[in-house]
mmCIF file of all heavy atoms in Angstrom:
data_model
loop_
_atom_site.group_PDB
_atom_site.id
_atom_site.type_symbol
_atom_site.label_atom_id
_atom_site.label_comp_id
_atom_site.label_asym_id
_atom_site.label_seq_id
_atom_site.Cartn_x
_atom_site.Cartn_y
_atom_site.Cartn_z
ATOM 1 N N ASP A 1 -1.674 -8.256 -8.711
ATOM 2 C CA ASP A 1 -1.558 -9.501 -7.970
ATOM 3 C C ASP A 1 -2.675 -9.615 -6.996
ATOM 4 O O ASP A 1 -3.483 -8.706 -6.789
ATOM 5 C CB ASP A 1 -0.224 -9.546 -7.233
ATOM 6 C CG ASP A 1 0.984 -9.722 -8.168
ATOM 7 O OD1 ASP A 1 0.772 -9.822 -9.404
ATOM 8 O OD2 ASP A 1 2.111 -9.616 -7.692
ATOM 9 N N GLY A 2 -2.732 -10.762 -6.312
ATOM 10 C CA GLY A 2 -3.832 -11.000 -5.350
ATOM 11 C C GLY A 2 -3.477 -10.547 -3.932
ATOM 12 O O GLY A 2 -2.473 -9.843 -3.707
ATOM 13 N N ALA A 3 -4.249 -11.073 -3.009
ATOM 14 C CA ALA A 3 -4.122 -10.727 -1.632
ATOM 15 C C ALA A 3 -2.748 -11.026 -1.039
ATOM 16 O O ALA A 3 -2.221 -10.418 -0.104
ATOM 17 C CB ALA A 3 -5.207 -11.367 -0.801
ATOM 18 N N GLU A 4 -2.050 -12.049 -1.602
ATOM 19 C CA GLU A 4 -0.779 -12.473 -1.066
ATOM 20 C C GLU A 4 0.282 -11.302 -1.120
ATOM 21 O O GLU A 4 1.055 -11.123 -0.199
ATOM 22 C CB GLU A 4 -0.256 -13.624 -1.799
ATOM 23 C CG GLU A 4 0.966 -14.305 -1.166
ATOM 24 C CD GLU A 4 0.702 -14.772 0.266
ATOM 25 O OE1 GLU A 4 -0.446 -15.133 0.606
ATOM 26 O OE2 GLU A 4 1.673 -14.895 1.020
ATOM 27 N N THR A 5 0.256 -10.518 -2.198
ATOM 28 C CA THR A 5 1.153 -9.391 -2.296
ATOM 29 C C THR A 5 0.831 -8.398 -1.152
ATOM 30 O O THR A 5 1.769 -7.812 -0.554
ATOM 31 C CB THR A 5 1.062 -8.681 -3.668
ATOM 32 O OG1 THR A 5 1.492 -9.699 -4.662
ATOM 33 C CG2 THR A 5 1.929 -7.465 -3.735
ATOM 34 N N PHE A 6 -0.368 -8.148 -0.910
ATOM 35 C CA PHE A 6 -0.733 -7.225 0.177
ATOM 36 C C PHE A 6 -0.289 -7.771 1.497
ATOM 37 O O PHE A 6 0.247 -7.023 2.353
ATOM 38 C CB PHE A 6 -2.296 -7.020 0.170
ATOM 39 C CG PHE A 6 -2.733 -6.027 -0.900
ATOM 40 C CD1 PHE A 6 -2.912 -6.449 -2.164
ATOM 41 C CD2 PHE A 6 -2.983 -4.724 -0.601
ATOM 42 C CE1 PHE A 6 -3.336 -5.616 -3.141
ATOM 43 C CE2 PHE A 6 -3.390 -3.817 -1.589
ATOM 44 C CZ PHE A 6 -3.565 -4.303 -2.852
ATOM 45 N N ARG A 7 -0.432 -9.077 1.710
ATOM 46 C CA ARG A 7 -0.039 -9.647 3.001
ATOM 47 C C ARG A 7 1.451 -9.513 3.208
ATOM 48 O O ARG A 7 1.914 -9.207 4.297
ATOM 49 C CB ARG A 7 -0.358 -11.132 2.998
ATOM 50 C CG ARG A 7 -1.535 -11.473 3.903
ATOM 51 C CD ARG A 7 -1.710 -12.953 4.085
ATOM 52 N NE ARG A 7 -2.160 -13.672 2.967
ATOM 53 C CZ ARG A 7 -3.434 -13.671 2.517
ATOM 54 N NH1 ARG A 7 -4.335 -12.934 3.106
ATOM 55 N NH2 ARG A 7 -3.788 -14.384 1.460
ATOM 56 N N LYS A 8 2.241 -9.650 2.145
ATOM 57 C CA LYS A 8 3.748 -9.615 2.226
ATOM 58 C C LYS A 8 4.295 -8.181 2.215
ATOM 59 O O LYS A 8 5.303 -7.950 2.878
ATOM 60 C CB LYS A 8 4.300 -10.376 1.037
ATOM 61 C CG LYS A 8 4.168 -11.830 1.144
ATOM 62 C CD LYS A 8 4.788 -12.537 -0.058
ATOM 63 C CE LYS A 8 4.644 -14.008 -0.009
ATOM 64 N NZ LYS A 8 5.248 -14.678 -1.206
ATOM 65 N N LYS A 9 3.668 -7.249 1.500
ATOM 66 C CA LYS A 9 4.294 -5.972 1.253
ATOM 67 C C LYS A 9 3.561 -4.780 1.824
ATOM 68 O O LYS A 9 4.006 -3.663 1.704
ATOM 69 C CB LYS A 9 4.416 -5.766 -0.280
ATOM 70 C CG LYS A 9 5.339 -6.794 -0.903
ATOM 71 C CD LYS A 9 6.806 -6.538 -0.445
ATOM 72 C CE LYS A 9 7.727 -7.470 -1.176
ATOM 73 N NZ LYS A 9 9.103 -7.201 -0.729
ATOM 74 N N MET A 10 2.442 -4.997 2.450
ATOM 75 C CA MET A 10 1.658 -3.882 3.051
ATOM 76 C C MET A 10 1.939 -3.861 4.586
ATOM 77 O O MET A 10 1.943 -4.928 5.212
ATOM 78 C CB MET A 10 0.206 -4.085 2.792
ATOM 79 C CG MET A 10 -0.701 -2.991 3.300
ATOM 80 S SD MET A 10 -2.513 -3.332 3.042
ATOM 81 C CE MET A 10 -2.735 -4.597 4.331
ATOM 82 N N SER A 11 2.070 -2.713 5.133
ATOM 83 C CA SER A 11 2.144 -2.565 6.593
ATOM 84 C C SER A 11 0.881 -3.027 7.219
ATOM 85 O O SER A 11 -0.217 -2.815 6.704
ATOM 86 C CB SER A 11 2.441 -1.053 6.891
ATOM 87 O OG SER A 11 2.448 -0.873 8.302
ATOM 88 N N ASP A 12 1.046 -3.687 8.406
ATOM 89 C CA ASP A 12 -0.137 -4.176 9.091
ATOM 90 C C ASP A 12 -1.115 -3.086 9.497
ATOM 91 O O ASP A 12 -2.310 -3.352 9.645
ATOM 92 C CB ASP A 12 0.297 -4.910 10.402
ATOM 93 C CG ASP A 12 0.994 -6.176 10.136
ATOM 94 O OD1 ASP A 12 0.920 -6.720 9.028
ATOM 95 O OD2 ASP A 12 1.777 -6.646 11.019
ATOM 96 N N ASP A 13 -0.640 -1.849 9.630
ATOM 97 C CA ASP A 13 -1.532 -0.745 10.059
ATOM 98 C C ASP A 13 -1.808 0.241 8.845
ATOM 99 O O ASP A 13 -2.103 1.414 9.073
ATOM 100 C CB ASP A 13 -0.993 -0.014 11.258
ATOM 101 C CG ASP A 13 0.399 0.546 11.003
ATOM 102 O OD1 ASP A 13 1.023 0.241 9.950
ATOM 103 O OD2 ASP A 13 0.866 1.364 11.810
ATOM 104 N N ALA A 14 -1.695 -0.270 7.628
ATOM 105 C CA ALA A 14 -1.941 0.535 6.473
ATOM 106 C C ALA A 14 -3.344 1.124 6.411
ATOM 107 O O ALA A 14 -4.308 0.484 6.970
ATOM 108 C CB ALA A 14 -1.668 -0.273 5.194
ATOM 109 N N VAL A 15 -3.545 2.260 5.768
ATOM 110 C CA VAL A 15 -4.828 2.896 5.598
ATOM 111 C C VAL A 15 -5.028 3.136 4.112
ATOM 112 O O VAL A 15 -4.112 3.641 3.438
ATOM 113 C CB VAL A 15 -4.898 4.191 6.353
ATOM 114 C CG1 VAL A 15 -6.271 4.905 6.065
ATOM 115 C CG2 VAL A 15 -4.765 3.931 7.850
ATOM 116 N N MET A 16 -6.148 2.732 3.544
ATOM 117 C CA MET A 16 -6.472 3.004 2.128
ATOM 118 C C MET A 16 -7.826 3.738 2.074
ATOM 119 O O MET A 16 -8.760 3.422 2.792
ATOM 120 C CB MET A 16 -6.507 1.675 1.388
ATOM 121 C CG MET A 16 -5.110 1.042 1.313
ATOM 122 S SD MET A 16 -5.023 -0.301 0.171
ATOM 123 C CE MET A 16 -3.345 -0.773 0.419
ATOM 124 N N VAL A 17 -7.924 4.605 1.071
ATOM 125 C CA VAL A 17 -9.118 5.369 0.796
ATOM 126 C C VAL A 17 -9.515 5.060 -0.616
ATOM 127 O O VAL A 17 -8.839 5.429 -1.575
ATOM 128 C CB VAL A 17 -8.935 6.918 1.015
ATOM 129 C CG1 VAL A 17 -10.206 7.663 0.753
ATOM 130 C CG2 VAL A 17 -8.401 7.189 2.408
ATOM 131 N N PHE A 18 -10.640 4.427 -0.763
ATOM 132 C CA PHE A 18 -11.223 3.987 -2.043
ATOM 133 C C PHE A 18 -12.488 4.746 -2.307
ATOM 134 O O PHE A 18 -13.181 5.216 -1.399
ATOM 135 C CB PHE A 18 -11.477 2.528 -2.089
ATOM 136 C CG PHE A 18 -10.277 1.618 -1.926
ATOM 137 C CD1 PHE A 18 -10.050 0.960 -0.729
ATOM 138 C CD2 PHE A 18 -9.379 1.486 -2.963
ATOM 139 C CE1 PHE A 18 -8.952 0.134 -0.572
ATOM 140 C CE2 PHE A 18 -8.229 0.670 -2.813
ATOM 141 C CZ PHE A 18 -8.068 0.007 -1.596
ATOM 142 N N PRO A 19 -12.887 4.837 -3.592
ATOM 143 C CA PRO A 19 -14.174 5.490 -3.947
ATOM 144 C C PRO A 19 -15.315 4.708 -3.285
ATOM 145 O O PRO A 19 -15.208 3.535 -2.998
ATOM 146 C CB PRO A 19 -14.231 5.308 -5.488
ATOM 147 C CG PRO A 19 -12.799 5.228 -5.899
ATOM 148 C CD PRO A 19 -12.092 4.474 -4.849
ATOM 149 N N TYR A 20 -16.397 5.407 -3.052
ATOM 150 C CA TYR A 20 -17.585 4.784 -2.552
ATOM 151 C C TYR A 20 -18.047 3.595 -3.430
ATOM 152 O O TYR A 20 -17.877 3.650 -4.605
ATOM 153 C CB TYR A 20 -18.726 5.812 -2.519
ATOM 154 C CG TYR A 20 -20.019 5.305 -1.925
ATOM 155 C CD1 TYR A 20 -20.223 5.301 -0.541
ATOM 156 C CD2 TYR A 20 -21.006 4.840 -2.748
ATOM 157 C CE1 TYR A 20 -21.385 4.777 -0.005
ATOM 158 C CE2 TYR A 20 -22.154 4.350 -2.208
ATOM 159 C CZ TYR A 20 -22.375 4.328 -0.844
ATOM 160 O OH TYR A 20 -23.512 3.798 -0.284
ATOM 161 N N PRO A 21 -18.432 2.485 -2.845
ATOM 162 C CA PRO A 21 -18.852 2.276 -1.466
ATOM 163 C C PRO A 21 -17.769 1.738 -0.496
ATOM 164 O O PRO A 21 -18.010 1.626 0.639
ATOM 165 C CB PRO A 21 -19.989 1.222 -1.659
ATOM 166 C CG PRO A 21 -19.507 0.405 -2.758
ATOM 167 C CD PRO A 21 -18.827 1.366 -3.679
ATOM 168 N N ALA A 22 -16.591 1.402 -1.045
ATOM 169 C CA ALA A 22 -15.557 0.811 -0.189
ATOM 170 C C ALA A 22 -15.118 1.811 0.936
ATOM 171 O O ALA A 22 -15.038 1.400 2.124
ATOM 172 C CB ALA A 22 -14.382 0.439 -0.983
ATOM 173 N N GLY A 23 -14.814 3.030 0.579
ATOM 174 C CA GLY A 23 -14.463 4.068 1.594
ATOM 175 C C GLY A 23 -13.106 3.833 2.211
ATOM 176 O O GLY A 23 -12.171 3.350 1.556
ATOM 177 N N ILE A 24 -12.997 4.200 3.473
ATOM 178 C CA ILE A 24 -11.765 4.051 4.230
ATOM 179 C C ILE A 24 -11.590 2.630 4.807
ATOM 180 O O ILE A 24 -12.482 2.158 5.495
ATOM 181 C CB ILE A 24 -11.736 5.101 5.339
ATOM 182 C CG1 ILE A 24 -11.764 6.459 4.771
ATOM 183 C CG2 ILE A 24 -10.406 4.904 6.169
ATOM 184 C CD1 ILE A 24 -11.955 7.585 5.836
ATOM 185 N N MET A 25 -10.465 1.998 4.497
ATOM 186 C CA MET A 25 -10.189 0.675 5.013
ATOM 187 C C MET A 25 -8.874 0.691 5.731
ATOM 188 O O MET A 25 -7.935 1.406 5.338
ATOM 189 C CB MET A 25 -10.200 -0.339 3.874
ATOM 190 C CG MET A 25 -11.536 -0.396 3.096
ATOM 191 S SD MET A 25 -11.464 -1.567 1.717
ATOM 192 C CE MET A 25 -11.920 -3.017 2.634
ATOM 193 N N GLN A 26 -8.736 -0.197 6.721
ATOM 194 C CA GLN A 26 -7.507 -0.306 7.504
ATOM 195 C C GLN A 26 -7.059 -1.738 7.690
ATOM 196 O O GLN A 26 -7.906 -2.612 7.812
ATOM 197 C CB GLN A 26 -7.674 0.383 8.846
ATOM 198 C CG GLN A 26 -8.042 1.826 8.782
ATOM 199 C CD GLN A 26 -8.292 2.389 10.204
ATOM 200 O OE1 GLN A 26 -7.448 2.209 11.066
ATOM 201 N NE2 GLN A 26 -9.418 3.109 10.366
ATOM 202 N N GLY A 27 -5.753 -1.942 7.775
ATOM 203 C CA GLY A 27 -5.143 -3.221 8.161
ATOM 204 C C GLY A 27 -5.782 -4.458 7.504
ATOM 205 O O GLY A 27 -5.898 -4.457 6.293
ATOM 206 N N SER A 28 -6.169 -5.413 8.299
ATOM 207 C CA SER A 28 -6.641 -6.712 7.746
ATOM 208 C C SER A 28 -7.969 -6.538 6.939
ATOM 209 O O SER A 28 -8.253 -7.359 6.062
ATOM 210 C CB SER A 28 -6.850 -7.667 8.839
ATOM 211 O OG SER A 28 -7.830 -7.219 9.803
ATOM 212 N N ALA A 29 -8.719 -5.468 7.237
ATOM 213 C CA ALA A 29 -9.953 -5.274 6.407
ATOM 214 C C ALA A 29 -9.636 -5.003 4.929
ATOM 215 O O ALA A 29 -10.441 -5.375 4.040
ATOM 216 C CB ALA A 29 -10.732 -4.073 6.958
ATOM 217 N N ILE A 30 -8.447 -4.500 4.613
ATOM 218 C CA ILE A 30 -8.040 -4.304 3.212
ATOM 219 C C ILE A 30 -7.938 -5.674 2.596
ATOM 220 O O ILE A 30 -8.457 -5.878 1.499
ATOM 221 C CB ILE A 30 -6.759 -3.515 3.174
ATOM 222 C CG1 ILE A 30 -6.906 -2.138 3.766
ATOM 223 C CG2 ILE A 30 -6.195 -3.478 1.719
ATOM 224 C CD1 ILE A 30 -5.608 -1.393 4.019
ATOM 225 N N ILE A 31 -7.159 -6.546 3.208
ATOM 226 C CA ILE A 31 -6.970 -7.894 2.620
ATOM 227 C C ILE A 31 -8.331 -8.644 2.539
ATOM 228 O O ILE A 31 -8.600 -9.316 1.535
ATOM 229 C CB ILE A 31 -5.932 -8.704 3.436
ATOM 230 C CG1 ILE A 31 -4.583 -7.946 3.285
ATOM 231 C CG2 ILE A 31 -5.825 -10.125 2.947
ATOM 232 C CD1 ILE A 31 -3.489 -8.451 4.209
ATOM 233 N N ASP A 32 -9.134 -8.552 3.579
ATOM 234 C CA ASP A 32 -10.449 -9.241 3.520
ATOM 235 C C ASP A 32 -11.276 -8.742 2.369
ATOM 236 O O ASP A 32 -11.979 -9.468 1.685
ATOM 237 C CB ASP A 32 -11.228 -9.008 4.884
ATOM 238 C CG ASP A 32 -10.584 -9.708 6.020
ATOM 239 O OD1 ASP A 32 -9.764 -10.629 5.817
ATOM 240 O OD2 ASP A 32 -10.847 -9.356 7.170
ATOM 241 N N GLY A 33 -11.228 -7.375 2.153
ATOM 242 C CA GLY A 33 -11.976 -6.806 1.022
ATOM 243 C C GLY A 33 -11.507 -7.281 -0.329
ATOM 244 O O GLY A 33 -12.312 -7.393 -1.288
ATOM 245 N N LEU A 34 -10.215 -7.567 -0.460
ATOM 246 C CA LEU A 34 -9.671 -8.055 -1.720
ATOM 247 C C LEU A 34 -10.188 -9.426 -2.108
ATOM 248 O O LEU A 34 -10.276 -9.778 -3.271
ATOM 249 C CB LEU A 34 -8.139 -8.122 -1.623
ATOM 250 C CG LEU A 34 -7.412 -6.776 -1.605
ATOM 251 C CD1 LEU A 34 -5.930 -6.986 -1.289
ATOM 252 C CD2 LEU A 34 -7.565 -6.116 -2.971
ATOM 253 N N LYS A 35 -10.501 -10.202 -1.073
ATOM 254 C CA LYS A 35 -10.949 -11.614 -1.359
ATOM 255 C C LYS A 35 -12.220 -11.666 -2.233
ATOM 256 O O LYS A 35 -12.359 -12.587 -3.024
ATOM 257 C CB LYS A 35 -11.160 -12.353 -0.040
ATOM 258 C CG LYS A 35 -9.870 -12.578 0.733
ATOM 259 C CD LYS A 35 -10.151 -13.222 2.056
ATOM 260 C CE LYS A 35 -8.866 -13.342 2.860
ATOM 261 N NZ LYS A 35 -9.096 -13.812 4.235
ATOM 262 N N SER A 36 -13.097 -10.658 -2.094
ATOM 263 C CA SER A 36 -14.309 -10.666 -2.856
ATOM 264 C C SER A 36 -14.278 -9.731 -4.071
ATOM 265 O O SER A 36 -15.172 -9.731 -4.830
ATOM 266 C CB SER A 36 -15.490 -10.275 -1.933
ATOM 267 O OG SER A 36 -15.310 -8.967 -1.428
ATOM 268 N N ALA A 37 -13.234 -8.936 -4.159
ATOM 269 C CA ALA A 37 -13.133 -7.989 -5.306
ATOM 270 C C ALA A 37 -12.488 -8.588 -6.476
ATOM 271 O O ALA A 37 -11.475 -9.336 -6.349
ATOM 272 C CB ALA A 37 -12.359 -6.740 -4.869
ATOM 273 N N PRO A 38 -13.011 -8.343 -7.677
ATOM 274 C CA PRO A 38 -12.320 -8.852 -8.904
ATOM 275 C C PRO A 38 -10.968 -8.158 -9.118
ATOM 276 O O PRO A 38 -10.850 -6.996 -8.771
ATOM 277 C CB PRO A 38 -13.267 -8.515 -10.050
ATOM 278 C CG PRO A 38 -14.151 -7.461 -9.512
ATOM 279 C CD PRO A 38 -14.187 -7.586 -8.022
ATOM 280 N N ARG A 39 -9.971 -8.845 -9.551
ATOM 281 C CA ARG A 39 -8.652 -8.296 -9.703
ATOM 282 C C ARG A 39 -8.613 -7.479 -11.003
ATOM 283 O O ARG A 39 -9.435 -7.678 -11.927
ATOM 284 C CB ARG A 39 -7.619 -9.445 -9.872
ATOM 285 C CG ARG A 39 -7.425 -10.271 -8.582
ATOM 286 C CD ARG A 39 -7.143 -9.448 -7.308
ATOM 287 N NE ARG A 39 -6.147 -8.397 -7.407
ATOM 288 C CZ ARG A 39 -6.268 -7.301 -6.791
ATOM 289 N NH1 ARG A 39 -7.272 -6.989 -6.022
ATOM 290 N NH2 ARG A 39 -5.325 -6.336 -6.936
ATOM 291 N N TRP A 40 -7.693 -6.518 -11.036
ATOM 292 C CA TRP A 40 -7.480 -5.722 -12.210
ATOM 293 C C TRP A 40 -6.703 -6.612 -13.248
ATOM 294 O O TRP A 40 -5.754 -7.289 -12.843
ATOM 295 C CB TRP A 40 -6.706 -4.476 -11.858
ATOM 296 C CG TRP A 40 -7.430 -3.596 -10.974
ATOM 297 C CD1 TRP A 40 -7.312 -3.497 -9.604
ATOM 298 C CD2 TRP A 40 -8.516 -2.687 -11.262
ATOM 299 N NE1 TRP A 40 -8.186 -2.608 -9.075
ATOM 300 C CE2 TRP A 40 -8.948 -2.097 -10.086
ATOM 301 C CE3 TRP A 40 -9.141 -2.353 -12.511
ATOM 302 C CZ2 TRP A 40 -9.965 -1.150 -10.016
ATOM 303 C CZ3 TRP A 40 -10.205 -1.423 -12.447
ATOM 304 C CH2 TRP A 40 -10.572 -0.826 -11.243
ATOM 305 N N ARG A 41 -7.012 -6.520 -14.504
ATOM 306 C CA ARG A 41 -6.257 -7.329 -15.469
ATOM 307 C C ARG A 41 -5.155 -6.504 -16.093
ATOM 308 O O ARG A 41 -4.168 -7.028 -16.666
ATOM 309 C CB ARG A 41 -7.152 -7.964 -16.459
ATOM 310 C CG ARG A 41 -7.498 -7.206 -17.650
ATOM 311 C CD ARG A 41 -8.281 -7.954 -18.628
ATOM 312 N NE ARG A 41 -8.989 -6.967 -19.414
ATOM 313 C CZ ARG A 41 -9.983 -7.250 -20.142
ATOM 314 N NH1 ARG A 41 -10.515 -8.424 -20.268
ATOM 315 N NH2 ARG A 41 -10.533 -6.266 -20.857
#
């Protein structure tokens, strides 16, 4: 799904660790990053 699922089901202070170059992302930066990333099919 898109960013809306993250907005609804992710904690506001969530932390995610992605392979380089994304790296460590937190909170709203995760959702902002999704806006430009292609979705998985």
Side-chain angles (χ1 to χ4, degrees):
D1 292 353
E4 191 61 26
T5 296
F6 283 80
R7 256 191 287 286
K8 289 180 180 178
K9 297 294 186 177
M10 182 183 75
S11 176
D12 292 340
D13 58 351
V15 175
M16 296 193 179
V17 181
F18 296 106
Y20 182 83
I24 299 170
M25 302 178 86
Q26 300 177 47
S28 62
I30 297 166
I31 295 170
D32 291 343
L34 288 170
K35 292 176 185 173
S36 62
R39 296 306 316 141
W40 298 100
R41 89 175 156 197

